[in-house]
Amino acid sequence: MQFRVLGVPEVHDDVADRWVPLTSPKQRQLLGALLVRPGVPVPAARLIDELWRGCAPGKAVNALQAHASRLRQLLIEAEPSRANMPRLVARDTGYVLEARPEELDSARFRLGVAKAGTLLAGDPLGACALLEEVLGLWRGPAMAGSTSGPLCAGAAAELEEERLAALELLYETRARAAAAADAPGNPCPPDLPRRPLPVRGGGGAGRPEEGGELGRLRARVDELVDEQRLLRFQVEQLSLLVGSAAGRGPQPVKAGATSWANSSMARAARP
């Protein structure tokens, strides 16, 4: 079983090689909220606020129970061996979803970036390959389609900050490779592209209808996505210089690190 939040919140059944069919946006929101801190109970009151944001139905607790029960059943159908020990259970006054780090794409991304940072000085090519691999886990904006509540919006902003940092590290790795390629016998590469300066301080201007902390978080996600597009372009330009300087063809960044997956975005739009 693989849980994915680096894009639309999804569950993948590795045994049957299929996506677990989440049937509503509320189920995706609930899944994303529970995966912010897997293994840690989330109070029902916070989940109600996450799913309905001040507009909860009259019987919100019952509605939450219904969504949680359906999500639990979908997970059991995909993993029958855990029928007596379901991943999603009610605990204390809330719900908890169990997922190991190797089953969660955001955890694998973070571990890979940390390892790449330790490789940078001694093995920049290895660091570059690892960064490309973990950046390829991204299928779109973090928690795409599920950031209407504070839990997912806050987690998405944090993850997008980390992705921007990973792209910056990849840029630094590419630059080191370009410097190494500029040696006797190799053509001298042209000037490296300048590192783009982030444009910050949007302050939620793109979402005038939202205010407070939630509006700030969602506006920050938008800013980070824009910064990443610019930085991905710079990384690609730098990779062309590395390939030229080493007498090879272009060394593009893997597609998963540079583009959104349209199929995942389409799934987020399904009712």
Side-chain angles (χ1 to χ4, degrees):
M1 187 80 74
Q2 289 291 319
F3 297 92
R4 302 182 179 182
V5 296
L6 302 181
V8 178
E10 294 176 327
V11 183
H12 189 262
D13 178 358
D14 289 344
V15 175
D17 192 21
R18 69 179 184 93
W19 299 101
V20 175
L22 303 182
T23 56
S24 74
K26 285 287 189 287
Q27 282 185 359
R28 282 188 284 270
Q29 280 183 275
L30 178 60
L31 175 67
L34 292 170
L35 288 174
V36 171
R37 294 184 66 190
V40 177
V42 183
R46 294 198 68 183
L47 292 173
I48 289 171
D49 184 49
E50 185 75 11
L51 268 60
W52 288 283
R53 195 57 184 160
C55 300
K59 296 183 178 179
V61 172
N62 292 342
L64 175 62
Q65 288 175 344
H67 285 299
S69 176
R70 181 55 182 153
L71 180 57
R72 180 191 299 115
Q73 186 58 38
L74 287 171
L75 295 176
I76 290 174
E77 289 172 4
E79 214 172 22
S81 61
R82 296 193 60 138
N84 295 325
M85 294 185 299
R87 289 178 180 269
L88 174 56
V89 297
R91 185 175 299 171
D92 300 329
T93 58
Y95 293 89
V96 60
L97 177 61
E98 300 290 346
R100 299 187 301 273
E102 62 270 21
E103 296 174 323
L104 181 60
D105 60 355
S106 58
R108 291 161 54 204
F109 168 73
R110 285 166 166 157
L111 289 170
V113 172
K115 184 176 180 180
T118 65
L119 293 175
L120 181 59
D123 183 12
L125 292 180
C128 185
L130 183 54
L131 285 168
E132 289 178 349
E133 178 183 342
V134 296
L135 283 166
L137 294 172
W138 287 76
R139 299 163 291 109
M143 302 279 190
S146 301
T147 57
S148 60
L151 280 175
C152 288
E158 184 177 332
L159 284 165
E160 293 292 353
E161 291 273 11
E162 293 177 27
R163 176 161 61 159
L164 182 61
L167 283 164
E168 290 171 338
L169 185 59
L170 179 59
Y171 184 93
E172 180 182 350
T173 306
R174 292 286 198 190
R176 292 193 181 201
D182 184 16
N186 285 331
C188 181
D191 291 339
L192 297 179
R194 298 190 65 173
R195 167 71 173 85
L197 295 176
V199 179
R200 300 181 184 271
R207 299 181 184 272
E209 76 284 0
E210 294 181 345
E213 181 65 9
L214 179 58
R216 185 193 68 78
L217 288 170
R218 297 185 70 187
R220 182 62 186 139
V221 169
D222 289 344
E223 290 177 2
L224 288 163
V225 169
D226 287 341
E227 291 174 26
Q228 290 160 13
R229 289 193 183 104
L230 180 58
L231 182 53
R232 283 195 299 272
F233 172 76
Q234 294 285 340
V235 170
E236 288 177 342
Q237 293 297 106
L238 183 55
S239 72
L240 295 177
L241 297 179
V242 173
S244 173
R248 303 187 301 272
Q251 303 294 305
V253 180
K254 292 181 181 178
T258 60
S259 63
W260 303 142
N262 292 332
S263 60
S264 292
M265 297 306 291
R267 280 192 288 273
R270 293 177 186 168

